[in-house]
Structures are given as structure tokens and as C-alpha cells.
Amino acid sequence: MDLLKRRIIEDGTELGTEVVKVDSFLNHQLDIGLFMAIGKEISRRFGHLGINKILTIESSGIGIAAITALYFDLVPVVFAKKTQPNTMTEDFYGAEVKSFTKGTVSVARVSKQYLNPEDRVLIIDDFLAHGEAAMGLCSLVEQAGGTVCSIAAVIEKEFQGGSKKLRDAGYYVDSLAVITAIKDGQITFKD
Ligand code: 5GP
């Protein structure tokens, strides 16, 4: 998605060779016009799959998932929680997820009432790096007996191996901007 790649080049910052900071439009301040273009593009790529639920993980996936739902006939958006609030008194599905940015391990949780066997789920996240978060989300859908239709990342860092891991596990992955390397302050994208 050229618009997104341009934005990453113009407004993103590389932190070393592993991390991209995109706080000005995706992770802190949210550019809703760009989110709408992203939502439209995700619907163009996955609109034919009969998706009836979008699943993401808190917190940075929520905004993009919510706007994307506008282009999927307002399907419900569910986000996995990384801690168990004391309001979550009901039974939940859980999967361990190692955080790329924090280095900590947490349990991604979704209440059993929000994932069901008839769900055809599109998993969305802001970044795909090592695939830990996406793998955890797939596990939650499968524990519920639902179907993972596809995984859509806004920005994928292909060199960290997450998409390969997910594809090897049989999942369909398609990302809007695929970074192949970050080197000498330069971000290289796949065409
Ligand atoms: P993974 O689980 O695929 O290793 O990492 C994905 C998660 O880590 C995403 O939910 C995202 O929040 C965070 N993440 C991974 N890489 C980056 C990055 O380069 N920049 C930012 N801002 N977040 C990242």
C-alpha cells in the first residue's frame, strides 16, 4: 500500500535495526484518514472471505480494528486483554504471548462469550514481527472452535520471521507494508 509506505518513510523513525516508531500516525496520535484508507484496503483484500468478526490485541490494534469494521458491515471487534481486570469474572480463553516491545510474557485473554464456533475471524494488528501476538490470537480463535480466515498486519517486519512462522503453521497472512530490512537509518520495503 503505497500511501502507507510513504507515510512510514516520511514520519516513521528507526530505533536501531529492529524497531520502527510510528507514534505520529499509528501508535500514539492516530491519523483517522489514514486508518480509513487502511480499513478500505483490508476490506478490498479480505472482503470476500465471509468474515463475521475482527480480533485484535490491546492496545495498539484496537483503533485500526475498529475503523476497519466500518468496511466489513460493522462486524463485532473483539480485543484480547493482556491482564485480567477484576471485571473479567467469567471464563476466558487464554494464550501466552511474549511482548516484542516490552520483552515480558503475558496471557492474552478473551472472554468465552465473545468467541464462538461459528466465528470466521480476521486477525488484525498494527505490527507483525516474530508472530507471537498473532499466534496467540489464532490459538484463542481455535480454542473457541472458530475459523481464522486471515491475518492482516498494517506493518510487517518480514526479516523477523513472524509471517513465515504463521504461514508454516497453515495461516494466510497479508500485510499492507512489508519491511525487508532496516539498515543505516534506511527502511527497505518489499515491492
Ligand atoms: P510480534 O508478536 O509479532 O513479535 O510483535 C507484534 C507486536 O509487537 C505488535 O502488537 C506491536 O504492538 C509490537 N511491535 C512489534 N514490532 C514493533 C515495532 O517495530 N514498532 C512498534 N511500535 N511496535 C512493534
Side-chain angles (χ1 to χ4, degrees), residues 2 15-16 43 45 48 61 76 86-87 106 114 131 145 147 150 172 184:
D2 288 341
L15 302 179
S43 130
R45 295 188 191 195
H48 60 289
N86 49 17
T87 49
S106 59
Y114 301 126
T147 306
S150 189
Y172 185 72
D184 304 327

Side-chain angles (χ1 to χ4, degrees), residues 28-90:
H28 197 3
Q29 174 172 261
L30 311 182
D31 180 337
I32 300 302
L34 179 67
F35 278 31
M36 289 168 75
I38 288 171
K40 262 188 213 164
E41 177 62 16
I42 293 176
S43 130
R44 192 184 68 76
R45 295 188 191 195
F46 305 106
H48 60 289
L49 296 178
I51 284 153
N52 59 13
K53 193 163 281 182
I54 294 174
L55 176 65
T56 187
I57 186 161
E58 68 178 357
S59 57
S60 42
I62 297 174
I64 210 82
I67 298 284
T68 299
L70 298 174
Y71 301 94
F72 280 83
D73 292 329
L74 306 181
V75 296
V77 173
V78 177
F79 66 90
K81 300 192 181 205
K82 290 181 185 158
T83 55
Q84 186 175 3
N86 49 17
T87 49
M88 198 173 199
T89 49
E90 64 278 13

